Amino acid sequence: MLLIKDIIDILETWAPPALAESYDNSRLIVGNKNSVVNHIVISLDLTQEVIAFAKHLNANLIICHHPIWFGSKQNLVSGTWVNDLLIDAIKSDIALYAFHTNFDNIRTGVTKSIAALMGLQRTQILLPKPKQLQVLYVNVPTTHRQVVQEALFAAGAGKIGDYDNCSFFFSGTGTFRPLSGSNPFLGEKDVIEIATEDKLEVVFPAARQVEIIRAMKQAHPYEEVAFQIITTENYHSDIGAGIIGYLPEPVSKEIFLGSLKAIFSAEGIRYADTHKTHIEKVAVCGGSGSFLISESLKQKADALVTADITYHKFFEPDKKMLLVDIGHYESEQFAVQQIHAYIQEKFSNFAASIFTHSTNPIRYFR
């Protein structure tokens, strides 16, 4: 028996809600997380057609990349397209879950599919988010250091770039006196105890602090654990906006733009030209990524591929970089396949369906 909360838990382990932007609404928007899941529908957006598809499949959970509901609401009265969709979902007992900017802000998220389809190599996060790494220091009896260490690794600590099980420890002497009401692992009440301890140090993603502390306390033998957590200025190599990488070989601007049109089935591509004749180093960002123009220029990208670029933003590169708008829907359409594949990997015997029709509201008159 699978509950809605089980689906949410695995998605939020992949992309923790703490990574979402402040304006966002990535969460369970409608529904009871303790309800049993019958079937899941995954879509980029929520539309009346998506709800009808869910009803047809007897699905009671819709996962969308884009939230239907931003900001605060004073009421839920019929008459607007958002309210009507929410009311329909509630009446049909269909839960709505949005998996948005937290999914944007991980290396394996939305932009990964764009970079992969373009064949980018040697990729890395374009603009890492600051203050996303913390360090845990914990004192533990030497006899139990490995047990605590392994529990922390299992909870997600100790990963630095392409390395895991990373830690540092050194031995020392600790003192404490168990007081009345204590139940000490070592020593006697009202007697000062001198113990050989290791100070264990591990780095972990700030978004996983709750899970890290829980794992540490469950594995630690002491009744009261002496530990300290600090936030570092170091960047997390897997958390942030956009991806930058290299094409297998330089290509002309015309070939580059043509390949984008074909890969993303774009009816039209808007771009600001560049003095460069060939493109090799490419920055990409799914959705609205014009805020990455300056960073892309700083890293000497030949092109930035994103969406939702406004008129004046097209002037910003000053022809030093090709600036390409492939469309919001076009840039994020493959997110649904990523979410579907992840759910099927975690729950291989459970049915989840992709809404395969376009939810793109934009049309082009030619």
Side-chain angles (χ1 to χ4, degrees):
M1 183 174 67
L2 200 61
L3 304 181
I4 289 175
K5 70 179 293 296
D6 298 323
I7 303 295
I8 292 174
D9 286 347
I10 63 113
L11 291 176
E12 294 186 352
T13 298
W14 184 19
L19 299 181
E21 300 298 331
S22 58
Y23 63 82
D24 198 18
N25 196 22
S26 292
R27 66 186 73 201
L28 184 65
I29 294 173
V30 164
N32 181 351
K33 66 180 180 180
N34 293 311
S35 296
V36 176
V37 183
N38 302 328
H39 194 98
I40 301 172
V41 167
I42 305 166
S43 175
L44 190 68
D45 305 286
L46 184 69
T47 65
Q48 194 59 59
E49 291 77 17
V50 174
I51 291 181
F53 182 64
K55 291 178 183 178
H56 174 70
L57 295 176
N58 193 33
N60 64 337
L61 173 61
I62 297 174
I63 298 172
C64 289
H65 179 51
H66 295 136
I68 184 68
W69 185 346
F70 283 99
S72 60
K73 275 187 173 292
Q74 298 297 318
N75 56 52
L76 193 57
V77 178
S78 62
T80 67
W81 73 275
V82 171
N83 285 5
D84 288 347
L85 287 174
L86 291 170
I87 291 168
D88 192 1
I90 292 168
K91 286 182 175 179
S92 304
D93 197 23
I94 298 174
L96 305 177
Y97 178 78
F99 193 47
H100 194 210
T101 55
N102 48 327
F103 189 40
D104 290 334
N105 281 328
I106 58 172
R107 189 172 181 174
T108 56
V110 174
T111 305
K112 177 189 174 183
S113 61
I114 305 173
L117 286 163
M118 292 171 60
L120 296 188
Q121 303 171 351
R122 292 178 282 156
T123 58
Q124 61 184 34
I125 290 288
L126 175 60
L127 183 62
K129 285 179 77 71
K131 300 183 185 300
Q132 295 301 312
L133 283 175
Q134 294 183 322
V135 180
L136 168 69
Y137 302 91
V138 57
N139 295 350
V140 59
T142 301
T143 54
H144 286 71
R145 188 258 310 155
Q146 187 172 351
V147 173
V148 174
Q149 197 174 27
E150 290 176 354
L152 290 169
F153 292 156
K159 188 174 187 302
I160 303 175
D162 293 328
Y163 296 83
D164 64 9
N165 287 20
C166 302
S167 70
F168 181 80
F169 64 89
F170 59 90
S171 296
T173 302
T175 65
F176 53 88
R177 182 171 66 178
L179 301 177
S180 176
S182 64
N183 182 25
F185 171 74
L186 293 173
E188 300 177 10
K189 291 180 182 180
D190 297 321
V191 177
I192 294 177
E193 177 72 18
I194 299 176
T196 301
E197 295 179 329
D198 288 346
K199 180 176 283 292
L200 175 63
E201 173 184 343
V202 290
V203 66
F204 65 91
R208 294 197 58 78
Q209 186 187 105
V210 172
E211 293 83 354
I212 294 297
I213 292 175
R214 183 188 301 121
M216 175 195 70
K217 288 185 174 181
Q218 288 176 347
H220 204 291
Y222 284 177
E223 185 178 24
E224 296 290 345
V225 183
F227 70 96
Q228 179 185 20
I229 290 175
I230 64 168
T231 300
T232 77
E233 295 296 328
N234 302 51
Y235 288 119
H236 192 305
S237 60
D238 290 334
I239 296 174
I243 283 177
I244 190 165
Y246 295 83
L247 295 171
E249 59 184 17
V251 297
S252 69
K253 289 182 292 187
E254 293 73 21
I255 290 176
F256 180 70
L257 290 168
S259 68
L260 292 178
K261 192 172 189 300
I263 290 168
F264 299 102
S265 301
E267 290 188 51
I269 288 179
R270 301 188 304 149
Y271 70 96
D273 207 352
T274 175
H275 293 308
K276 297 180 180 182
T277 59
H278 286 75
I279 306 299
E280 182 179 16
K281 190 174 185 181
V282 180
V284 295
C285 179
S288 306
S290 60
F291 68 98
L292 293 170
I293 293 174
S294 61
E295 185 63 28
S296 301
L297 288 167
K298 188 187 301 182
Q299 297 198 33
K300 301 189 183 306
D302 298 322
L304 168 61
V305 179
T306 185
D308 297 346
I309 302 171
T310 58
Y311 178 79
H312 291 95
K313 285 288 184 180
F314 277 110
F315 287 101
E316 198 170 318
D318 194 25
K319 297 191 176 181
K320 298 181 182 70
M321 174 182 74
L322 188 68
L323 182 57
V324 186
D325 186 328
I326 60 173
H328 198 118
Y329 174 85
E330 287 78 4
S331 73
E332 294 188 326
Q333 60 187 300
F334 302 103
V336 293
Q337 283 90 349
Q338 288 176 271
I339 297 168
H340 180 266
Y342 192 79
I343 291 173
Q344 294 298 157
E345 175 190 333
K346 298 299 180 181
F347 303 108
S348 57
N349 295 323
F350 188 79
S353 299
I354 295 173
F355 183 75
T356 56
H357 299 287
S358 173
T359 57
N360 191 358
I362 298 171
R363 297 291 181 269
Y364 295 87
F365 182 80
R366 299 187 186 283

